[in-house]
Amino acid sequence: MARVLIIADDLTGALDSSVAFAERGLRVVVALDTSRLPDALAAAPDVVAVSTGSREMSEEAASAAVSRVCDVVGRFSGIVMKKVDSRLKGPVAAEVDTLSASMPRPVLAAPAIPRLGRLVVDGAVTGTGVDAPIDVATALNRPAEIPDIRTDADFDEALPDDLEGTLFVGAAGLAEAIARRLAGDPAIGGQAGEGVPESGSPVLAKPVLAAIGSRDPVTLRQIAALDKDALVIAPNGAVPEVRAAPLVVVQMAQGDDAIAPREAENRFSGGVCDLVGALKPATLFACGGESAAAILRRLGVGLLELKGEALPGIPVSRALDGAVGLDVVTKSGGFGMADTLVRLFGAPAQADLAGADGAAVTVSGRDAPKIVH
């Protein structure tokens, strides 16, 4: 039976909050949407996380999305955390209110991530990536305990003795604190992938296909630092012809003609899925919660098992259905430093490129990946 249930408003949030438990040896299964939550629980992991996909929804729609897990929440006797964006984006108050109606526990809200320099001071989120303090009480619009959090030690002190008697509201920093309480420090060498060289940079299983749908300024700075030879632009989501290589980075960008964001997202996710079939990557990297979820849904993936981190805050998981066995690496759009993608991918060496199949790959509906059900 699961000991921890995490309800996140997008897929990357579900993954980057629950990875702290996987790093400590606990088994973690993530449901890509609320319909797959019963399947995730049936797998009997230690930790279950579910994405409601509600970050960009209206308050009414977000409340309805969260309500679809409330039957489970109302019967769940373990630790429950509502994962929110650390900058409190989205309909946070509506989602917490909906959960609280099914689970009348006191609320502890702590959206800080100290290791990223994102803190809660005088009841407001401040620090790295925050232009002006964001008042937590205003965002919640309900009674809650809101401790100041500057360090991990502050988190450890703020957690109540009875973790099962509180509804926790926060981001990856809060999840890490709960994981520390349950399982101590992570095991040495817990990072996923093929290995980690002495430099500390990860080595992902190649070939790597990276799909970047986020337009967050943090991600745009990270893309600017990459080797441009690996970068492929997808205007308005239209993925062009791509050559096979150890690393292919496909970035959705604005095109000459204005189209609806949903149409661009559909084009992009469809084109990336065609590339998965054509290029057969060992690792799929997806940046941006909406993009990651759309791509994985098209591949038939509904459940992921977390394996660990490629870099701190960048989880690695493996598909349990759909594209079974595919390694999936995810990153939220607003996460990381300017060199995060450079560290994650590195600059592809010319020797590697020369050894790859240089033939152009034209993708079409006929090249769609084989889905294993």
Side-chain angles (χ1 to χ4, degrees), residues 163-175:
L163 296 180
E164 296 174 359
T166 298
L167 173 57
F168 295 100
V169 177
L174 178 57

Side-chain angles (χ1 to χ4, degrees), residues 12-36:
T12 53
L15 291 164
D16 65 34
S17 57
S18 57
V19 73
F21 300 91
E23 286 284 288
R24 289 163 171 81
L26 301 179
R27 184 165 180 252
V28 180
V29 173
V30 177
L32 269 69
D33 59 58
T34 56
S35 70
R36 300 305 303 274

Side-chain angles (χ1 to χ4, degrees), residues 211-214 236-239 252 259-272 287-295 297-298:
I212 300 180
S214 174
N236 285 341
V239 177
M252 183 163 62
I259 67 170
R262 179 62 60 88
E263 182 181 350
E265 187 67 68
N266 287 338
R267 283 185 186 176
F268 186 65
S269 60
V272 171
C287 178
E290 290 297 317
S291 294
I295 293 164
R297 277 195 299 268
R298 280 180 176 260

Side-chain angles (χ1 to χ4, degrees), residues 17 20 26 38 47 95 108 118 123 172 190 205 207 209 240 302 304 315 329 338:
S17 57
L26 301 179
V47 179
E95 296 193 4
L108 187 152
R118 197 163 290 171
L209 172 61
L304 294 169
V329 182

Side-chain angles (χ1 to χ4, degrees), residues 352-372:
D352 288 342
L353 292 175
D357 179 7
V361 176
T362 303
V363 296
S364 67
R366 296 187 303 274
D367 301 317
K370 181 179 180 180
I371 304 302
V372 181

Side-chain angles (χ1 to χ4, degrees), residues 4-22 28-34 37 40 47-55 81-85 170-172 175 288-290 292-293 296 302 304-306 308 313-317 330-332:
V4 182
L5 175 60
I6 298 173
I7 301 103
D9 57 7
D10 71 356
L11 176 59
T12 53
L15 291 164
D16 65 34
S17 57
S18 57
V19 73
F21 300 91
V28 180
V29 173
V30 177
L32 269 69
D33 59 58
T34 56
L37 178 57
V47 179
V48 169
V50 59
S51 169
T52 58
S54 50
R55 170 75 62 82
M81 174 178 160
K82 175 67 186 80
K83 195 279 175 187
V84 298
D85 178 74
E290 290 297 317
L296 290 171
L304 294 169
E305 182 170 356
L306 266 170
I314 300 181
V316 178
S317 54
T330 54
K331 186 187 82 69
S332 62

